[in-house]
């Protein structure tokens, strides 16, 4: 039995033409179905119905696809079109096309291009910065290959960026402690660090090198200079989808040095090893269930709530406090009357930005921790407030879209934007890769 639950728009994964699409429940799973006049029908699984997709959508109403007839091509060429619903939460800025790894999966697919001058990058940052608000993520390639990255970081802070985030594989952060200190002194807020597991066999398969010791050292070097680290695993079925619980346990054991884990199920855009079959995709509901099952209840699925800053199918957030015994105290709990981190906000992107900024950035030494109550009872308000400041921990996810499963409704609610030649472009549109075969 087949049931169409939503009408939307997508693109042909081969030619990029905008086409009508449907979200369809059939055979115990949910799919995005579409058809191109030239290249025929395509279908991609988007939800395996391990949780109710209707509950996950919640009260998010379908968007009128006819209201954005030129999206996403217009966004790619000219920046965010008028049909987009959400403001910018985070701006991703590539500062280099070089990299020191050759990963099987890479959203950006670095091209090795010569670096732009720092002055040009700083000018671009000035063009999109809203003083006291902007969160800019310095990305690449591998940004730490630039010796002048501290200069760019300092300039971004001077221009008024409230948060400057580094997206890194951690190699130079592990090998060059002096460089980490330079970044910290320049005002770096926190690091998003590639982290696919605690077993070198995983890194050999995904990154081509044994890197676990490098990751450990990078976390320690960042901790020396009070720079918070959020771990970012790319989850690939058959490689590290069984390592989710161990990643979480390791991350929690490193609190407060590690501020959280941000899971990214593999998407097939940028550099990809192959065109995916449905069996290769790891869906968001699978991830939620795997987190609960593999963590042994350390993280319960009810404490992971759908994004309201973006579309519900784009990700989830969970907010926790790491307890003295290594357990997690959930601050996000499923209650019908409980607001999410962004609900009711005039600008959900602003509220979400402050949520992640507070959690991922470590407080200054001697700050909130100095007023800690001696009770060590999480129900004691003084202790709770100091503990949540020093040992706050997030479990979040972003399920990026590719040419097979891209949904215009999701793109129009996107708040993660890439800076491109003076324009802001939805992240998935910016890195979208057309497929050579269907």
């Amino acid at each position: 039995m087949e049931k169409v639950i939503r009408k939307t728009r997508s693109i042909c994964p081969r030619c990029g033409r905008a086409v009508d699409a449907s979200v369809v429940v059939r055979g115990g799973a949910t799919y995005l179905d579409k058809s191109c006049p030239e290249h025929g029908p395509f279908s991609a699984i988007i939800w395996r119905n391990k949780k109710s997709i209707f509950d996950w959508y919640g009260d998010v109403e379908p968007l009128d696809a006819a209201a954005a007839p030129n999206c996403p091509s217009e966004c790619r060429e000219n920046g965010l079109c008028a049909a987009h619903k959400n403001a910018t939460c985070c701006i991703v800025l590539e500062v280099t096309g070089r990299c020191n790894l050759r990963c099987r999966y890479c959203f950006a697919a670095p091209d090795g291009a010569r670096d732009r001058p720092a002055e040009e990058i700083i000018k671009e940052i000035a063009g999109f910065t809203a003083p006291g608000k902007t969160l800019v993520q310095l990305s690449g390639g591998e940004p730490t290959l630039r010796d002048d990255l501290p200069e760019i970081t300092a300039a971004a802070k001077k221009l008024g960026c409230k948060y400057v985030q580094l997206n890194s594989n951690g190699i130079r952060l592990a090998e060059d402690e002096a460089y980490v200190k330079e970044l910290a002194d320049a005002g770096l807020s926190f690091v998003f660090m590639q982290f696919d597991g605690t077993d070198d066999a995983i890194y050999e398969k995904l990154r081509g090198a044994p890197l676990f010791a490098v990751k450990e050292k990078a976390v320690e070097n960042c901790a020396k200079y009070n720079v918070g680290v959020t771990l970012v695993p790319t989850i690939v079925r058959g490689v590290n989808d069984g390592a989710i619980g161990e990643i979480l346990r390791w991350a929690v054991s490193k609190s407060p040095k590690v501020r959280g884990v941000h899971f990214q199920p593999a998407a097939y855009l940028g550099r990809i090893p192959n065109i995916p079959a449905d069996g290769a995709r790891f869906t968001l509901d699978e991830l939620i269930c795997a987190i609960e099952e593999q963590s042994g209840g350390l993280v319960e699925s009810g404490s992971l709530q759908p994004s309201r800053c973006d579309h519900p199918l784009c990700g989830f957030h969970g907010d926790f406090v790491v307890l003295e015994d290594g357990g997690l105290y959930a601050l996000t709990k499923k209650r019908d009357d409980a607001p999410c981190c962004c609900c009711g906000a005039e600008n959900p992107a602003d509220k979400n930005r402050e949520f992640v900024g507070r959690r991922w950035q470590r407080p200054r030494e001697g700050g909130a921790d100095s007023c800690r109550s001696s009770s060590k009872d999480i129900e004691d308000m003084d202790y709770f407030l100091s503990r949540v400041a020093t040992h706050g921990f997030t479990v979040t996810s972003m399920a990026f879209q590719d040419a097979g499963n891209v949904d215009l409704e999701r793109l129009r609610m996107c708040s993660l934007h890439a800076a491109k030649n003076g324009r802001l472009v939805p992240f998935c549109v910016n890195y979208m890769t057309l497929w050579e075969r269907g």
Side-chain angles (χ1 to χ4, degrees):
M1 183 176 178
E2 182 171 295
K3 180 179 182 181
V4 176
I5 62 173
R6 248 166 155 89
K7 293 284 191 178
T8 184
R9 296 272 284 173
S10 185
I11 65 169
C12 171
R14 293 189 63 187
C15 68
R17 179 197 309 230
V19 296
D20 290 332
S22 300
V23 178
V24 180
V25 177
R26 66 169 175 270
T30 304
Y31 299 82
L32 183 79
D33 289 352
K34 55 191 174 181
S35 184
C36 172
E38 181 179 356
H39 297 107
F42 297 89
S43 181
I45 193 165
I46 59 174
W47 198 261
R48 295 191 187 274
N49 294 6
K50 288 181 173 290
K51 299 178 72 69
S52 167
I53 194 169
F54 300 101
D55 289 348
W56 195 256
Y57 271 120
D59 59 3
V60 175
E61 294 292 331
L63 297 180
D64 179 10
N70 300 317
C71 189
S73 59
E74 182 179 340
C75 299
R76 182 187 290 272
E77 297 299 323
N78 303 316
L80 297 172
C81 72
H84 281 269
K85 297 294 184 181
N86 287 349
T88 302
C89 175
C90 174
I91 297 171
V92 179
L93 176 63
E94 288 187 24
V95 299
T96 184
R98 297 180 294 138
C99 193
N100 48 7
L101 287 176
R102 177 74 182 177
C103 302
R104 290 181 64 209
Y105 293 83
C106 181
F107 298 145
D111 56 13
R114 184 176 179 180
D115 292 345
R116 290 188 292 160
E119 295 78 10
E120 185 179 317
I121 292 172
I122 292 167
K123 182 178 180 181
E124 186 166 10
I125 294 173
F128 61 61
T129 296
K133 293 176 64 173
T134 298
L135 189 169
V136 59
Q137 181 185 125
L138 304 178
S139 191
E142 174 50 46
T144 61
L145 293 183
R146 292 192 69 123
D147 292 334
D148 60 1
L149 193 65
E151 174 190 332
I152 295 170
T153 300
K157 294 294 288 186
K158 186 175 181 180
L159 286 166
C161 291
K162 186 168 185 180
Y163 304 109
V164 179
Q165 175 180 336
L166 171 62
N167 187 19
S168 176
N169 59 32
I171 293 175
R172 187 166 184 180
L173 302 181
E175 296 175 347
D176 190 346
E177 183 180 331
Y179 185 77
V180 177
K181 183 179 187 303
E182 285 185 69
L183 288 169
D185 291 344
L188 183 67
S189 304
F190 33 80
V191 174
F192 240 32
M193 192 178 76
Q194 176 195 88
F195 189 96
D196 301 314
T198 60
D199 184 342
D200 273 332
I202 291 171
Y203 292 102
E204 292 276 13
K205 289 179 181 177
L206 295 184
R207 312 299 172 189
L211 294 171
F212 179 55
V214 170
K215 310 295 183 178
E216 290 183 297
K217 184 63 175 177
V219 168
E220 294 303 319
N221 281 348
C222 288
K224 288 180 183 179
Y225 301 100
N226 212 45
V227 176
V229 176
T230 295
L231 307 181
V232 186
T234 297
I235 302 299
V236 179
R237 187 182 300 281
V239 178
N240 63 345
D241 56 319
I244 291 167
E246 182 56 33
I247 290 170
L248 280 166
R249 285 186 289 272
W250 190 89
V252 170
S253 75
K254 297 298 180 181
S255 175
K257 301 169 186 177
V258 170
R259 311 301 295 168
V261 181
H262 184 74
F263 291 99
Q264 296 178 347
Y268 296 81
L269 72 172
R271 182 194 301 137
I272 57 176
N274 53 270
I275 307 304
D278 281 341
R281 290 190 181 274
F282 196 72
T283 60
L284 197 64
D285 59 320
E286 284 185 282
L287 174 60
I288 294 165
C289 292
I291 286 172
E292 179 171 65
E293 292 166 4
Q294 294 184 31
S295 72
L298 180 68
V299 177
E300 296 182 352
S301 62
S303 61
L304 303 175
Q305 296 297 296
S307 172
R308 292 297 180 93
C309 181
D310 300 295
H311 191 277
L313 295 187
C314 287
F316 58 73
H317 70 276
D319 194 15
F320 304 87
V321 182
V322 179
L323 302 175
E324 302 274 354
D325 63 2
L328 290 178
Y329 180 85
L331 301 178
T332 45
K333 299 179 181 179
K334 185 171 179 56
R335 290 200 340 258
D336 291 340
D337 61 342
C340 69
C341 73
C342 304
C343 293
E346 183 175 341
N347 185 343
D350 284 348
K351 192 166 184 181
N352 188 59
R353 186 188 311 113
E354 291 308 307
F355 166 73
V356 298
R358 287 195 309 272
R359 291 294 182 261
W360 293 347
Q361 185 169 246
R362 291 189 68 181
R364 292 179 181 177
E365 297 290 347
D369 195 50
S370 63
C371 64
R372 176 181 288 187
S373 165
S374 61
S375 73
K376 299 189 184 303
D377 180 358
I378 199 67
E379 302 297 331
D380 176 88
M381 184 57 69
D382 288 339
Y383 176 71
F384 171 81
L385 291 175
S386 64
R387 189 73 181 179
V388 75
T390 58
H391 288 73
F393 190 90
T394 64
V395 180
T396 53
S397 178
M398 179 64 73
F400 293 113
Q401 303 178 87
D402 55 51
N405 62 13
V406 61
D407 180 343
L408 179 59
E409 183 177 290
R410 290 177 59 184
L411 287 179
R412 290 174 64 192
M413 293 180 68
C414 175
S415 68
L416 175 62
H417 301 145
K420 198 75 171 180
N421 301 322
R423 306 184 303 273
L424 296 181
V425 180
F427 182 94
C428 295
V429 172
N430 187 60
Y431 294 107
M432 193 69 64
T433 306
L434 295 180
W435 297 348
E436 294 182 0
R437 59 187 185 279

